[in-house]
């Protein structure tokens, strides 16, 4: 007999014990052994003096090192729970800065949740609880934090390396992205690959120029024009219907063939199933064009 899912009521909501102010993520991309370094600044979210442990969700992660306030924690100071989560037992009451190093295997990640490989492209899907498959984190939507992301990879193989926000720095083998607006972890995104791009510009209601870039696998770039026209219409519709002006300088959209949803509305880096992006008159029907728009 199938069990009925447990119903969660609003009255049962419990606020998180700790909030995250900011997140610094560093990725060293490798198909089988990607290392993730996470630096979290946390603050208590409760009043009583008794210290509560810090619970960080995790799934299919290999913990490499764990520091709290620049001190390496001993095995007696934390636990890995049965579901893969990390429990820090006796944190201090004031300053809370965590540094976590863990390893993941994107190539073996067939759940298409977290960081995985689509063809030769690194791609993420974090809704609803996929971020915990990337690094240890309080992976719930009421935790809002600012993200700064550094991605290291072989640029000859992965010339395009994207994340949320604006690109603030770029080097021979790395890029740095910064999102100045707090967001939930399920809206985090990362893409890296050898991709083709179609670029255009949208002028917002206040006269600001926003770069629009749509990426797809090479050889498919001639099927992106309708998606770009639809994207510009969407920007204009938001302004007309809601007075909502885009708040960054760049908007990226990536079409991938392996994606477990139609699309995902990650801040400034939307990831789409390419069936809802690619179209040309020779192969697409009117319905295809309508679905994309």
């Amino acid at each position: 007999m199938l069990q009925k899912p447990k119903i969660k009521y609003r009255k049962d909501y419990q606020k998180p014990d700790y909030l995250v102010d900011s997140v610094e993520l560093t990725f060293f991309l490798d198909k089988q052994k990607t290392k993730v370094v996470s630096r979290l600044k946390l603050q208590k979210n409760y009043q009583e003096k008794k210290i509560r442990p810090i619970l960080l969700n995790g799934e299919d992660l290999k913990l490499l090192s764990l520091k709290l306030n620049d001190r390496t924690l001993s095995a007696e100071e934390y636990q890995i729970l049965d579901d893969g989560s990390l429990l820090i037992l006796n944190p201090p009451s004031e300053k809370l800065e965590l540094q976590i190093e863990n390893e993941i295997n994107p190539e073996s990640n067939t759940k298409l949740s977290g960081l995985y490989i689509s063809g030769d492209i690194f791609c993420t899907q974090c809704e609803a609880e996929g971020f915990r498959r990337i690094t240890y984190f309080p992976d719930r939507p009421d935790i809002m934090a600012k993200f700064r992301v550094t991605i290291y990879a072989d640029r000859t193989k992965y010339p395009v390396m994207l994340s949320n926000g604006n690109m603030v720095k770029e080097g021979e083998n790395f890029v740095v992205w910064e999102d100045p607006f707090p967001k939930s972890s399920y809206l985090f995104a990362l893409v890296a690959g050898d991709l083709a791009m179609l670029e255009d510009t949208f002028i917002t209601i206040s006269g600001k120029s926003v770069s629009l870039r749509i990426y797809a696998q090479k050889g498919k770039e001639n099927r992106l024009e309708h998606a770009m026209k639809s994207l510009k219409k969407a920007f204009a519709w938001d302004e007309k219907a809601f007075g909502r002006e885009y708040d960054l300088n760049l908007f990226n959209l990536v079409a991938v063939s392996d994606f477990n949803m139609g699309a995902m509305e990650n801040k400034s880096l939307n990831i789409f199933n390419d069936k809802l992006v690619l179209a040309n008159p020779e192969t697409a029907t009117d319905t295809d064009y309508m679905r994309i728009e």
Side-chain angles (χ1 to χ4, degrees), residues 156-209:
T156 63
K157 295 180 179 179
Y158 308 103
V160 176
M161 298 193 291
L162 309 172
S163 192
N164 310 86
N166 294 316
M167 183 190 292
V168 295
K169 192 174 182 180
E170 184 175 16
E172 183 178 352
N173 65 339
F174 74 94
V175 294
V176 182
W177 291 84
E178 189 166 18
D179 188 353
F181 303 102
K183 66 174 176 288
S184 302
S185 54
Y186 81 92
L187 292 172
F188 171 80
L190 181 152
V191 172
D194 188 8
L195 299 166
M197 179 187 70
L198 178 65
E199 186 172 17
D200 207 331
T201 300
F202 181 82
I203 306 300
T204 70
I205 196 170
S206 70
K208 183 177 71 173
S209 177

Side-chain angles (χ1 to χ4, degrees), residues 202-205 212 229-244:
F202 181 82
I203 306 300
T204 70
I205 196 170
L212 307 179
K229 292 178 182 178
S230 300
L231 179 60
K232 295 177 77 171
K233 287 182 180 180
F235 267 68
W237 184 83
D238 270 345
E239 292 187 343
K240 182 178 179 180
F242 300 114
R244 300 290 294 175

Side-chain angles (χ1 to χ4, degrees), residues 12 25 38 47 74 78 81 87 137 142 187 217 231 257 277:
D12 298 324
L25 294 172
S38 175
Q47 298 298 322
S74 66
Y78 66 89
L81 305 182
L87 190 68
F137 195 82
D142 54 353
L187 292 172
Q217 290 177 308
L231 179 60
S257 56
V277 174

Side-chain angles (χ1 to χ4, degrees), residues 66 71-80 87-90:
L66 178 61
R71 184 179 66 83
T72 300
L73 297 186
S74 66
E76 292 74 29
E77 295 178 281
Y78 66 89
Q79 295 177 0
I80 302 293
L87 190 68
I88 298 172
L89 299 175
N90 292 298

Side-chain angles (χ1 to χ4, degrees), residues 21-284:
D21 292 328
S22 63
V23 186
E24 290 188 19
L25 294 172
T26 303
F27 290 83
F28 299 88
L29 293 182
D30 182 271
K31 286 187 174 182
Q32 297 179 336
K33 292 185 177 182
T34 288
K35 187 169 84 167
V36 184
V37 180
S38 175
R39 294 177 175 86
L40 310 179
K41 291 186 178 181
L42 301 95
Q43 59 172 302
K44 284 198 324 179
N45 194 36
Y46 58 92
Q47 298 298 322
E48 61 265 31
K49 292 183 179 181
K50 184 178 179 181
I51 301 299
R52 299 179 185 177
I54 300 173
L55 177 64
L56 305 174
N57 303 112
E59 184 179 331
D60 290 341
L61 306 177
K62 180 181 179 181
L63 181 63
L64 300 178
S65 71
L66 178 61
K67 292 182 179 180
L68 179 58
N69 296 343
D70 294 323
R71 184 179 66 83
T72 300
L73 297 186
S74 66
E76 292 74 29
E77 295 178 281
Y78 66 89
Q79 295 177 0
I80 302 293
L81 305 182
D82 290 341
D83 65 355
S85 295
L86 175 63
L87 190 68
I88 298 172
L89 299 175
N90 292 298
S93 59
E94 298 302 329
K95 180 184 176 184
L96 291 166
E97 293 188 11
L98 277 171
Q99 179 175 313
I100 306 164
E101 293 186 16
N102 66 272
E103 187 180 282
I104 52 178
N105 187 338
E107 193 169 62
S108 68
N109 181 6
T110 57
K111 292 184 178 181
L112 307 186
S113 174
L115 178 66
Y116 63 94
I117 302 291
S118 174
D120 288 323
I121 302 169
F122 283 92
C123 183
T124 58
Q125 167 59 20
C126 293
E127 188 182 29
E129 297 178 336
F131 191 76
R132 66 189 62 187
R133 296 177 56 79
I134 295 174
T135 190
Y136 295 98
F137 195 82
D139 190 17
R140 44 189 286 177
D142 54 353
I143 301 288
M144 306 281 284
K146 295 180 180 180
F147 282 71
R148 183 181 176 93
V149 179
T150 303
I151 307 169
Y152 286 90
D154 183 349
R155 295 299 290 271
T156 63
K157 295 180 179 179
Y158 308 103
V160 176
M161 298 193 291
L162 309 172
S163 192
N164 310 86
N166 294 316
M167 183 190 292
V168 295
K169 192 174 182 180
E170 184 175 16
E172 183 178 352
N173 65 339
F174 74 94
V175 294
V176 182
W177 291 84
E178 189 166 18
D179 188 353
F181 303 102
K183 66 174 176 288
S184 302
S185 54
Y186 81 92
L187 292 172
F188 171 80
L190 181 152
V191 172
D194 188 8
L195 299 166
M197 179 187 70
L198 178 65
E199 186 172 17
D200 207 331
T201 300
F202 181 82
I203 306 300
T204 70
I205 196 170
S206 70
K208 183 177 71 173
S209 177
V210 178
S211 295
L212 307 179
R213 298 173 183 173
I214 303 181
Y215 295 87
Q217 290 177 308
K218 287 187 172 179
K220 298 181 178 182
E221 58 267 32
N222 63 337
R223 299 161 63 187
L224 295 176
E225 287 190 9
H226 180 66
M228 181 62 79
K229 292 178 182 178
S230 300
L231 179 60
K232 295 177 77 171
K233 287 182 180 180
F235 267 68
W237 184 83
D238 270 345
E239 292 187 343
K240 182 178 179 180
F242 300 114
R244 300 290 294 175
E245 183 179 31
Y246 188 65
D247 51 15
L248 294 168
N249 302 323
L250 174 65
F251 182 88
N252 291 313
L253 188 155
V254 181
V256 295
S257 56
D258 302 304
F259 202 63
N260 59 12
M261 297 186 183
M264 183 58 207
E265 69 280 9
N266 316 296
K267 179 64 185 284
S268 74
L269 177 52
N270 284 189
I271 301 175
F272 273 69
N273 187 311
D274 62 9
K275 294 179 181 179
L276 296 174
V277 174
L278 304 175
N280 64 25
E282 295 180 0
T283 58

